[in-house]
Amino acid sequence: MSKGTILLAAGGTGGHLFPAESLAHELVARGWQVHLATDDRVQRFAGTFPATEVHRIPAATLGGRNPISLLRAFWTIWRGVRRAGEVIGRIDAKAVVGFGGYPTLPPLYAATRRGRPTMVHEANVVMGRANKALGGRVTAIAGGFLSEKASGHPEKYVFTGNPVRQPILAALQTEYVVPTPTEPFNLLVFGGSQGAQFFSDAVPVAIRLLAEPERRRIRVTQQVRAEDMERVKADYAELGIEAELAPFFTDMAQRLASAQLVISRAGASTVTELSVLGKPALLVPYPHALDHDQAANASALAAAGGAEVHMQSSLSPEKLSERLSALMREPQHLASMAAAARSTGKPDAVQLLADLTEAIASGKTVLEFRKEMPR
């Protein structure tokens, strides 16, 4: 018999949906029904999300200063609040949990108006705009990289860590394979939906600049935008590089598990998965990220010794090639980075987040939950 229904709300990108998906699986395993409120971008990720029903709720961002655009945005958000309120009432949601992104505003706001227990999970070091707007209204704030002080509401804050997807947890037993000078070197490159173009431009050139013996060892797996695919494929073919290229990899967990070095952006989900699996990385924060949260996320892993952080503005193909070459020639340093990254991982984050969700759904306060938390 079902314990009841929990409504999860998340923007339709991997960074928001992956932690929501992880919590959904855990709640379903505990006997809850899970519904998802999101936007139309969810289609790419919907196949593995264990939702009884997916609700596409009208939502809009309040960026810009054009009065007409702002009025339209407010009207869309209000329609979303009314629609979300109807959904919450119909499914009798015992709690509503948001994972950031502007599509979370209507469901969470509607839930607080109805007096339902609510929580936002902030994956990043810096509080996102949607979560910040909701922080004063919700029952609880769960932090991934977010600190109690940065939450703005210490009395509502619980550090849970960032939950990771089931395939990542399944890959936990895969040990880091220290590269040797005579064997192939597995390089994984990805940049998310917005940040991949820079790597499409820079990485093939950086590999071209490697010494011939190093270049022959490289095996590339790279996320490439559809519009860049033919160009990047031709670049690697000209170099004689074995490369697997795709706009999106559905088996990213397995590819992460086999990687010996990762070059990527520094979204919270990426940094979390790198730490849980223990993968050395060259992190290049997306320079146009709101609130510069990626730079802060990257610094957290770099401080532990698990990654190097390079700003895009100063990372030339020549510099990238130099770092790639140096790391390929220092396998023990890569192994040390891998161990340092894994030491920061929190693979049990989803259990704690599910505990907190069940606690607020039962009417408990954050203070009561804190008292019951294991020390």
Side-chain angles (χ1 to χ4, degrees):
M1 185 176 176
S2 172
K3 291 182 178 179
T5 300
I6 304 291
L7 178 63
L8 305 184
T13 63
H16 296 126
L17 281 165
F18 290 160
E21 178 187 327
S22 178
L23 178 60
H25 280 287
E26 180 66 20
L27 290 173
V28 169
R30 295 185 183 198
W32 292 87
Q33 284 197 16
V34 172
H35 285 232
L36 174 65
T38 186
D39 59 56
D40 289 332
R41 296 172 296 172
V42 73
Q43 198 59 42
R44 180 190 293 179
F45 308 99
T48 56
F49 205 107
T52 302
E53 192 174 345
V54 176
H55 307 276
R56 289 171 175 79
I57 304 295
T61 179
L62 294 174
R65 297 181 179 180
N66 184 297
I68 295 175
S69 297
L70 285 172
L71 281 172
R72 286 175 178 161
F74 275 116
W75 174 242
T76 300
I77 291 169
W78 179 243
R79 286 194 299 112
V81 169
R82 294 186 63 180
R83 167 72 178 133
E86 293 168 0
V87 169
I88 290 165
R90 176 169 62 82
I91 67 175
D92 190 23
K94 302 304 181 188
V96 180
V97 182
F99 286 85
Y102 66 86
T104 62
L105 278 169
L108 270 292
Y109 185 77
T112 61
R113 291 180 77 233
R114 285 174 168 258
R116 303 293 173 114
T118 51
M119 173 169 65
V120 292
H121 176 273
E122 178 52 64
N124 296 289
V125 172
V126 180
M127 195 86 156
R129 291 189 297 174
N131 281 347
K132 187 180 292 185
L134 292 162
R137 299 182 64 92
V138 297
T139 310
I141 298 172
F145 292 123
L146 186 77
S147 68
E148 181 176 275
K149 182 178 180 181
S151 74
H153 302 274
E155 73 285 357
K156 300 181 181 184
Y157 173 86
V158 177
F159 171 69
T160 60
N162 286 323
V164 296
R165 295 169 289 159
Q166 293 286 76
I168 296 293
L169 294 175
L172 275 174
Q173 303 308 314
T174 305
E175 294 293 328
Y176 180 72
V177 177
V178 180
T180 66
T182 59
E183 293 179 337
F185 184 90
N186 295 325
L187 177 67
L188 175 62
V189 185
F190 60 97
S193 56
Q194 294 178 307
Q197 183 178 2
F198 171 76
F199 295 136
S200 294
D201 295 338
V203 175
V205 178
I207 291 175
R208 182 189 298 273
L209 295 172
L210 290 173
E212 177 65 24
E214 293 170 346
R215 193 163 62 241
R216 280 202 305 266
R217 291 175 56 206
I218 292 276
R219 302 292 182 270
V220 177
T221 299
Q222 185 168 342
Q223 182 185 25
V224 177
R225 301 186 312 165
E227 55 265 44
D228 297 327
M229 184 64 67
E230 291 306 315
R231 171 174 62 86
V232 178
K233 189 181 294 184
D235 288 342
Y236 285 127
E238 183 182 340
L239 292 171
I241 297 292
E242 184 179 314
E244 289 189 72
L245 312 176
F248 181 76
F249 291 103
T250 56
D251 59 345
M252 182 59 85
Q254 288 75 21
R255 294 174 186 276
L256 267 171
S258 62
Q260 290 166 304
L261 178 66
V262 175
I263 301 175
S264 71
R265 296 304 190 180
S269 288
T270 296
V271 174
T272 299
E273 292 177 356
L274 291 171
S275 63
V276 167
L277 291 180
K279 295 298 171 180
L282 299 178
L283 296 177
V284 186
Y286 183 56
H288 309 298
L290 294 173
D291 304 315
H292 302 290
D293 54 351
Q294 289 206 3
N297 295 340
S299 296
L301 187 55
E308 293 182 8
V309 182
H310 298 275
M311 295 299 107
Q312 181 173 310
S313 58
S314 59
L315 185 61
S316 65
E318 290 78 11
K319 183 176 180 180
L320 180 57
S321 183
E322 176 188 312
R323 292 310 306 142
L324 180 55
S325 175
L327 290 169
M328 289 180 71
R329 286 184 277 107
E330 297 176 3
Q332 289 309 313
H333 180 54
L334 282 173
S336 297
M337 290 176 70
R342 181 162 282 203
S343 72
T344 69
K346 191 173 172 58
D348 63 343
V350 68
Q351 282 86 25
L352 184 54
L353 187 61
D355 290 345
L356 179 54
T357 302
E358 290 189 310
I360 66 167
S362 71
K364 289 181 181 177
T365 66
V366 167
L367 181 59
E368 290 170 328
F369 177 78
R370 283 175 176 170
K371 288 179 179 178
E372 296 173 357
M373 283 177 64
R375 298 295 177 185

